[in-house]
Amino acid sequence: MSSVMDRISACGIVPVINLKSADQAVPLGRALLAGGIDVMEITFRSDAACASIKKVCEELPEVLAGAGTVTTCAQIDMAIEAGAKFIVSPGLSVKLVEYAQKKNIPILPGTVTPSEILTGLELGLDTFKFFPAGQYGGIKTMKALSAPYGGIKFLPTGGVNASNLAEYLAFDKIIAVGGSWMVDKKLVDAGEFEKITAMTKEATDIFHSVRG
């Protein structure tokens, strides 16, 4: 698990991806790689999720591909079969966390409250998705939550973009940020992969300027 989290931390930015077709997965992965990002969270918001994960894992083995918006144990099984290396869920479910642990795949459950974090800690977790970050107070809330739970890390998603990326990355309790601004569906559907690479490069430049 630590190696997966280390990869996510080293990348610093996790694109949250919703694909209409699995045929978009590899070109998008290559565009992200060209901009300096080698992690992808492909969400179960479309029927193309499993096939997309499978294509990336088979054709772009240098990319760490995970499954997002996972809400059922069946989806965890599907993600693992497709080759996913980590699971992201929008909320904290004891059942899902325990099932992922049984399957030996890292899971980042969504949390926004002290009680959810405490539940996660009791399950042996120390890294949490913070979602939706913008609606739940962003940096201020994460700083407040980290005070009583000093060893935890966050991956904020929701409302993160190029304009506030540096602010998020400057907080040392943030392992990485998740966002979709550089993988906007309109850009992907239009095949504007050069623009995606340019926006990705802009984001990774910000990451390196903040984290070194």
Side-chain angles (χ1 to χ4, degrees):
M1 182 179 296
S2 60
S3 62
V4 169
M5 294 303 172
D6 289 344
R7 281 281 303 275
I8 291 172
S9 178
C11 185
I13 301 164
V14 180
V16 181
I17 298 161
N18 180 15
L19 296 175
K20 181 171 66 177
S21 167
D23 292 336
Q24 299 169 320
V26 172
L28 177 56
R30 289 184 177 133
L32 292 170
L33 281 171
I37 287 179
D38 63 356
V39 177
M40 298 172 71
E41 177 192 331
I42 299 173
T43 70
F44 271 83
R45 295 181 184 180
S46 83
D47 294 335
C50 283
S52 298
I53 294 168
K54 185 176 177 63
K55 276 182 173 288
V56 170
C57 291
E58 289 178 349
E59 299 184 39
L60 298 174
E62 63 270 46
V63 172
L64 183 74
T69 321
V70 173
T71 58
T72 69
C73 293
Q75 288 177 335
I76 291 178
D77 286 334
M78 293 162 63
I80 292 172
E81 185 176 355
K85 301 302 187 291
F86 63 95
I87 301 293
V88 184
S89 180
L92 191 151
S93 159
V94 173
K95 180 180 178 181
L96 283 186
V97 171
E98 290 181 337
Y99 192 77
Q101 291 171 333
K102 178 182 176 182
K103 295 290 184 175
N104 199 33
I105 187 168
I107 183 168
L108 287 155
T111 58
V112 292
T113 69
S115 296
E116 289 170 331
I117 291 171
L118 184 56
T119 298
L121 290 170
E122 290 172 348
L123 291 165
L125 302 177
D126 61 11
T127 306
F128 303 92
K129 175 176 180 173
F130 186 76
F131 172 80
Q135 288 77 4
Y136 280 91
I139 292 286
K140 288 183 179 180
T141 301
M142 282 182 282
K143 286 183 176 179
L145 289 170
S146 67
Y149 303 121
I152 65 173
K153 296 285 187 179
F154 292 107
L155 194 158
T157 303
V160 182
N161 54 53
S163 67
N164 59 22
L165 177 60
E167 179 186 7
Y168 276 99
L169 290 171
F171 182 37
D172 63 359
K173 298 296 183 181
I174 289 177
I175 184 175
V177 301
S180 58
W181 76 93
M182 82 292 286
V183 289
D184 184 273
K185 277 179 62 64
K186 291 180 180 178
L187 295 176
V188 177
D189 290 345
E192 295 189 46
F193 296 112
E194 290 185 4
K195 187 170 183 179
I196 289 170
T197 293
M199 294 174 71
T200 301
K201 180 66 164 53
E202 177 187 7
T204 56
D205 284 348
I206 293 171
F207 168 72
H208 291 301
S209 71
V210 175
R211 296 271 173 110

